[in-house]
């Protein structure tokens, strides 16, 4: 007689489709996706749980252990938000969870920004915004934080920013670069309007665009567009402009995939 435990029998029944695997709860699904690093894990988990205080505690601990606050935006906060995005896309969690996580993420970004006392020489102004009609501002906030951390003056026009406000700000601030973020296929067309209105006024400033909905093919359709996949590309694009000028073709050559 075979000596099988209950777990073995369950395993066999699942393997041969006699019985279905127990459905995972959202928390269990999240647990499988968290990074294993002992400093990053609690931050990612707190983002998923939407617990602002735990996010800050986790960040404090990581900074005390020697992690760079600005690097933690990408290496911990973004990782937590990645878990949330994946579970939301898979229909495992819903909008209210996402909103709580997004708020915790934004608090975390603010905290990280406050923890760095490096005050680099201002290198030039960048105007950042989220496309008209679009409230998704997490990516834009990361872009703005990384630009500031790299010594650029950021004029942050916020989310759901009317096209005309972008144009006014560009006329007033004379930035070396404008950034746009769009997470929805319906809102990204505002970038084309920004592009056309800038050109009507004879302003040829590079317009770096990114965000979930946007891709290189779309951004290449308008004259001033330069596509950026990662938030970390924004300071690289700005540095490139300082070093090599603001020619859109040169920027596309450097930053677009060929
Ligand atoms: C969080 C979230 C929300 C939050 C937003 C909170 C906030 N303050 O931002 C809340 C709950 C409010 C929300 C609301 C809605 N959402 Co929503 N949301 C998301 C979710 C889950 C994650 C988005 C996110 O923050 N990602 C993380 C950030 C960091 O990514 P990111 O902005 O793309 O930025 C990265 C890069 O793109 C890059 N980047 C960004 N900008 C730039 C700029 C430059 C210059 C550069 C170089 C790089 C760069 O840097 C970042 C990484 O390094 C996505 C799902 C998904 N998988 O994306 C849906 C998603 C974007 N939402 C969606 C929808 C439909 C909505 C709602 C309409 C839902 C509703 N029925 O009400 C509303 C929108 C209302 C409106 N008018 O905008 C859809 C959009 C579908 C589409 N393609 O059009 C998505 C894709 C979900 C889905 N699969 O259907 N949402």
């Amino acid at each position: 007689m075979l000596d099988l435990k209950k777990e073995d029998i369950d395993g066999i029944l699942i393997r041969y489709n006699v019985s279905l695997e127990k459905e995972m709860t959202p928390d269990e699904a999240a647990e499988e996706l968290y990074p294993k690093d002992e400093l990053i894990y609690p931050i990612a988990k707190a983002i998923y749980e939407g617990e602002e205080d735990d996010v800050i505690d986790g960040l404090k601990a990581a900074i005390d252990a020697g992690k760079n606050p600005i690097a933690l935006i990408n290496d911990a906060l973004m990782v937590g938000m990645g878990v949330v995005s994946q579970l939301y896309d898979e229909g495992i969690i819903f909008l209210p969870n996402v909103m709580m996580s997004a708020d915790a993420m934004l608090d975390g970004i603010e905290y990280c920004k406050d923890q760095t006392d490096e005050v680099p020489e201002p290198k030039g102004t960048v105007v950042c915004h989220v496309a008209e009609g679009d409230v998704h501002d997490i990516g834009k906030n990361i872009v703005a934080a990384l630009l500031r951390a790299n010594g650029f003056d950021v004029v942050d026009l916020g989310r759901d920013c009317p096209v005309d406000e972008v144009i006014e700000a560009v006329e007033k601030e004379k930035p070396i670069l404008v950034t746009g973020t769009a997470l929805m296929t319906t809102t990204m067309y505002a970038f084309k309007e920004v592009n056309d209105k800038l050109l009507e006024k004879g302003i040829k400033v590079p317009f770096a665009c990114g965000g979930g909905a946007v891709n290189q093919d779309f951004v290449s359709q308008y004259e001033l567009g330069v596509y950026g996949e990662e938030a970390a590309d924004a300071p690289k694009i700005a540095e490139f402009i300082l070093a090599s000028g603001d020619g859109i073709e040169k920027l596309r050559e450097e930053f677009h995939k060929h």
Side-chain angles (χ1 to χ4, degrees), residues 6-24:
K6 167 138 186 357
E7 301 89 82
D8 299 331
I9 297 168
D10 285 348
I12 292 166
L13 293 178
I14 288 165
R15 184 157 359 122
Y16 293 102
N17 285 338
V18 177
S19 124
L20 289 176
E21 198 162 358
K22 188 167 71 76
E23 247 187 55
M24 267 199 269

Side-chain angles (χ1 to χ4, degrees), residues 25-256:
T25 65
D27 289 358
E28 285 166 349
E31 199 64 47
E32 298 225 320
L33 297 173
Y34 295 139
K36 304 294 167 244
D37 182 297
E38 59 176 17
L39 289 171
I40 307 297
Y41 169 88
I43 303 171
K45 186 165 191 273
I47 291 282
Y48 163 79
E49 290 170 348
E51 295 287 351
E52 282 98 343
D53 293 346
D54 294 347
V55 171
I56 306 299
D57 287 348
L59 288 171
K60 256 187 212 150
I63 292 165
D64 288 348
K67 299 261 184 200
N68 175 304
I70 297 296
L72 282 171
I73 296 179
N74 254 322
D75 300 347
L77 297 175
M78 278 284 296
V79 175
M81 202 60 208
V83 172
V84 175
S85 297
Q86 184 170 336
L87 296 182
Y88 180 68
D89 286 346
E90 288 171 5
I92 295 172
I93 59 170
F94 301 98
L95 219 50
N97 310 72
V98 177
M99 289 169 84
M100 285 167 63
S101 297
D103 286 346
M105 167 93 186
L106 294 175
D107 281 6
I109 294 175
E110 281 308 309
Y111 180 80
C112 288
K113 280 195 308 194
D114 291 346
Q115 296 314 300
T116 162
D117 38 36
E118 296 156 33
V119 192
E121 280 281 296
K123 296 173 178 166
T125 302
V126 181
V127 167
C128 299
H129 82 288
V130 178
E132 183 164 350
D134 201 321
V135 303
H136 297 91
D137 61 356
I138 297 176
K140 183 270 294 164
N141 290 336
I142 299 173
V143 165
L146 296 183
L147 282 164
R148 285 198 178 106
N150 283 277
F152 293 92
D153 271 335
V154 172
V155 176
D156 186 344
L157 303 178
R159 58 190 182 176
D160 183 12
C161 180
V163 169
D164 288 335
E165 269 181 36
V166 182
I167 311 301
E168 275 163 34
V170 173
E171 286 184 296
K172 181 166 168 252
E173 306 290 345
K174 310 214 171 3
I176 60 161
L177 172 70
V178 180
T179 79
T181 298
L183 272 281
M184 296 198 293
T185 39
T186 46
T187 58
M188 63 186 192
Y189 292 93
F191 293 158
K192 215 181 156 307
E193 282 183 54
V194 168
N195 173 85
D196 294 351
K197 289 199 170 180
L198 287 173
L199 289 178
E200 267 168 33
K201 290 183 182 280
I203 303 172
K204 286 205 166 190
V205 61
F207 181 22
C209 299
V214 181
N215 61 34
Q216 186 175 304
D217 284 346
F218 177 73
V219 176
S220 305
Q221 286 169 23
Y222 42 92
E223 195 178 322
L224 302 173
V226 180
Y227 176 63
E229 192 170 0
E230 292 294 324
D233 291 333
K236 288 185 196 151
I237 294 172
E239 295 285 358
F240 188 87
I241 293 169
L242 291 183
S244 317
D246 58 5
I248 310 294
E249 279 316 311
K250 267 196 288 172
L251 281 161
R252 286 185 180 178
E253 235 166 71
E254 182 72 17
F255 292 97
H256 283 197

